[in-house]
Every structure is written in C-alpha cells, then in structure tokens.
Amino acid sequence: MKKLKKRPVNLGRSDENIADQYLNIFEGLQKDAGQNSWDARLTKKGKDWKLLFRYLKEHNTLIIEDFGTSGMDEKKWIAYQSLWDTTKIEDESLGSRGQGKFLFHYFSSNKLVLTESIDRDRKYRFSFGTPGEYEDEDKNLKEFFPSANTLDHQGTRIRICNVKKDFLRELLDVTQFMKYIAATWWEIIINWNAIFVVDLDGVDRAVKVPDMPKINKGIHLQNIKIKDMGMIRNLVIRFCHDEVPEEFRGIAIQRGGMAILRIPIQAEESLKNKIYGYCNFDDALESELKKLNFLIILAFQTNGHGTTSENM
C-alpha cells in the first residue's frame, strides 16, 4: 500500500482545537456542511441545489451529499486536502471547504472521513484520510463499503465513518437537527427554495421554516453606512403577539444566506421571547466580516486560546 500523504496544514492544529470554537458542535456540523455546499452552488439562486444528511446505522456512518453544485476540480481538491489554508483570506469563497472540515473528522472515533466528488468535466475523485494524512490515488470506495454505490452526479459526498458513540444521541435527534438547519438557513429556504433533506432514522424529511406569530410592530431600516467598511442593507426587528420559536429569537446576523449568530434581546423575558429579526450587509461589509473571522481564527490558532463565538 502506498504511503499516505501528509496534509500541508500550515498551522498544524488538531480537530479537537478547532471543535473548541463551536458553542454547539451539532449545530456547527450542519452550518459548515451547508456553507461548503451553498458556496459551491452552480447558480446564484441555487437552482436544483439540495443538501442531504443521511445516517446509516448499519455502518455507523453519517453521509453529507450535495446536488446542484460544482463539485471539486483539481484546484479545489488540492485545497480541500490541505484542510485549512491561511492563504485564503482574499479568496471570495473564504470558508468554503475550509477549517470546518476538521469538525467532520472530530465526529469520527478514528477520525476517518471518505470524500467523493465529480466536477464539471465529470472527473471523479475519491480520498480517505484523517486530519494529518490522506490518500487519493490507490484506494476506492468499494474497499471500505463493498455494497455502496459510488457518486454518480456532479457534486460532493462526504462520509463521516465510525461516529463517536457519545455523539449519537444528540446527533440523531432529528427534530432538533432540523431546527438547527431551519434557524441557520431560513433565508435561502424561504427566498430561493433551497432544499435540505434529513434522514437520520430511515425517513427522508425536508426542512421547513416554521410560520412566525402575528407581528404587532416592526422596524425596517435600510442602507445604514458603516464608515470605511460598507453598508448594512437591512435591519429588521419584529415584535410579535405571541412567543417566537426559541431558535429564532433575537437578531440574526446574516452572511451569505446563513445566520452566523443571533444577538439576544436585552429585555424582560415576556418581551424578548416575542422579538425576532435580522441584519444583512452589502458585499463590502460582508467581505470585512470574512476577514475579521479569518483574523479571529488565526489568533486562536497561534496563541492557543479559544473563542466563544460560532464559526462565521
């Protein structure tokens, strides 16, 4: 067997250190998978885009598979195998197939992740590996799962093998996992009909955004300039007659169609539970947010201190 390749990770941090950045690794898993896939969509509005999460109990494996995406060509494949590359700061797709891949390895008891991808030219690629090393030449999917079908469409499929037993109860809570997705990706589900399918128990379920309560009052501010950075396109705050679902309370900070975090409302319990909203930005300010997130991660990597914010 050919010797495994060492990953060219230029800061050498482990999956455990990366996982420490997440307030909730289960929520973080779907965020990173969704961001990777949505960034790779073939059209701006995500026509025919879909992301599937499927757990195979007989193999104790979580599959993450996307449709309507570009797949990984040679350049993206090499970048993907680097796990995380600090040279991406000026890249438009910062975060795409980035440091979140460490989290996939973290969910595996032996840190084993298998990846298949088909690009625009119908070139099929396969790899297996851990955070430290990988192989993408001599092995194939059948050697790991003899009865499995190889990827047959443009896009990417990831298998997280041997999911940690301690994670299974929370990971396989279908209702909660779907709530994470709905709260994170509500914008593209509502506006672009993005499809997320969750099958953690043998049943396919499409993620839906719940109806919000009747709005009593609302504020909508537009085009707020931030000096030397860009513009807040929309700041929307809504006060409802009844309580808002817990995962939607507060003000969502939106970037690239994803709620990267929610700012809690400072008010009495009976009031703040009825308030929700969102804030989004122009391209210039979104770019600044990406750079800021990069610098936060870089500081974490170099000084060994964790952060308390979600991965942006």
Side-chain angles (χ1 to χ4, degrees):
M1 176 180 172
K2 185 179 290 188
K3 187 176 181 180
L4 298 183
K5 302 174 184 178
K6 298 294 182 182
R7 295 191 190 274
V9 181
N10 55 357
L11 286 178
R13 298 295 294 185
S14 70
D15 55 317
E16 288 89 352
N17 296 136
I18 294 295
D20 284 343
Q21 293 184 65
Y22 297 81
L23 296 177
N24 182 318
I25 60 172
F26 304 96
E27 182 179 18
L29 180 71
Q30 61 81 24
K31 275 189 174 184
D32 280 314
Q35 183 181 14
N36 292 343
S37 179
W38 186 247
D39 282 350
R41 66 193 182 277
L42 287 171
T43 66
K44 184 177 180 180
K45 295 183 179 181
K47 182 182 178 183
D48 299 323
W49 182 91
K50 180 171 73 173
L51 184 61
L52 167 69
F53 295 88
R54 172 166 287 141
Y55 177 71
L56 300 180
K57 184 177 181 180
E58 63 271 28
H59 299 301
N60 188 23
T61 295
L62 180 67
I63 294 175
I64 304 171
E65 181 174 356
D66 63 29
F67 302 79
T69 64
S70 62
M72 287 185 271
D73 59 18
E74 184 176 4
K75 181 180 177 181
K76 291 180 179 178
W77 185 255
I78 292 172
Y80 172 79
Q81 299 303 343
S82 76
L83 279 184
W84 189 65
D85 182 359
T86 56
T87 63
K88 290 182 182 178
I89 189 166
E90 299 298 338
D91 194 316
E92 290 183 358
S93 61
L94 177 65
S96 176
R97 312 285 180 197
Q99 63 130 9
K101 294 189 300 292
F102 277 102
L103 196 59
F104 300 157
H105 291 279
Y106 182 68
F107 268 80
S108 169
S109 61
N110 59 350
K111 303 186 180 183
L112 178 63
V113 171
L114 312 185
T115 304
E116 300 173 88
S117 194
I118 295 177
D119 65 15
R120 296 174 188 267
D121 296 325
R122 301 297 299 175
K123 170 70 175 178
Y124 174 85
R125 293 177 172 88
F126 171 80
S127 72
F128 73 96
T130 67
E133 53 190 12
Y134 73 99
E135 172 55 49
D136 63 351
E137 295 179 11
D138 287 347
K139 290 281 188 177
N140 61 68
L141 179 66
K142 296 288 187 179
E143 294 181 59
F144 293 89
F145 299 101
S147 62
N149 294 321
T150 57
L151 186 68
D152 61 0
H153 63 85
Q154 186 176 339
T156 299
R157 179 196 287 156
I158 292 170
R159 281 178 166 84
I160 300 174
C161 302
N162 308 309
V163 178
K164 291 177 179 176
K165 291 182 179 180
D166 292 347
F167 290 174
L168 286 176
R169 183 180 63 82
E170 290 186 71
L171 176 64
L172 301 183
D173 185 336
V174 178
T175 300
Q176 186 59 58
F177 196 75
M178 293 178 71
K179 284 182 178 180
Y180 291 147
I181 295 173
T184 300
W185 298 103
W186 64 270
E187 183 179 348
I188 65 172
I189 293 173
I190 292 175
N191 294 337
W192 311 127
N193 296 314
I195 298 174
F196 292 81
V197 176
V198 176
D199 170 13
L200 303 179
D201 58 358
V203 179
D204 282 359
R205 297 178 176 88
V207 175
K208 305 293 184 184
V209 177
D211 293 332
M212 293 294 112
K214 180 182 177 181
I215 299 170
N216 281 347
K217 296 180 180 180
I219 298 172
H220 187 178
L221 304 178
Q222 293 180 292
N223 302 327
I224 306 168
K225 291 185 178 180
I226 307 297
K227 186 177 179 181
D228 300 326
M229 294 186 72
M231 184 180 295
I232 297 175
R233 282 181 174 164
N234 297 283
L235 173 59
V236 175
I237 303 174
R238 291 165 177 161
F239 178 70
C240 298
H241 183 270
D242 298 311
E243 289 193 349
V244 173
E246 184 176 1
E247 63 272 17
F248 285 90
R249 294 170 189 169
I251 308 303
I253 306 302
Q254 297 292 126
R255 197 196 79 194
M258 175 178 71
I260 59 177
L261 57 87
R262 275 188 165 75
I263 300 175
I265 300 297
Q266 301 300 315
E268 294 181 7
E269 196 80 15
S270 59
L271 292 177
K272 70 179 183 180
N273 290 352
K274 297 180 179 181
I275 299 174
Y276 76 100
Y278 67 91
C279 181
N280 58 25
F281 315 98
D282 67 1
D283 293 342
L285 192 48
E286 279 213 2
S287 177
E288 291 300 320
L289 280 173
K290 290 181 181 181
K291 292 176 183 177
L292 176 61
N293 182 63
F294 176 90
L295 294 174
I296 290 171
I297 296 170
L298 182 60
F300 175 89
Q301 295 266 352
T302 54
N303 66 23
H305 296 295
T307 66
T308 57
S309 66
E310 286 284 358
N311 175 41
M312 292 185 179

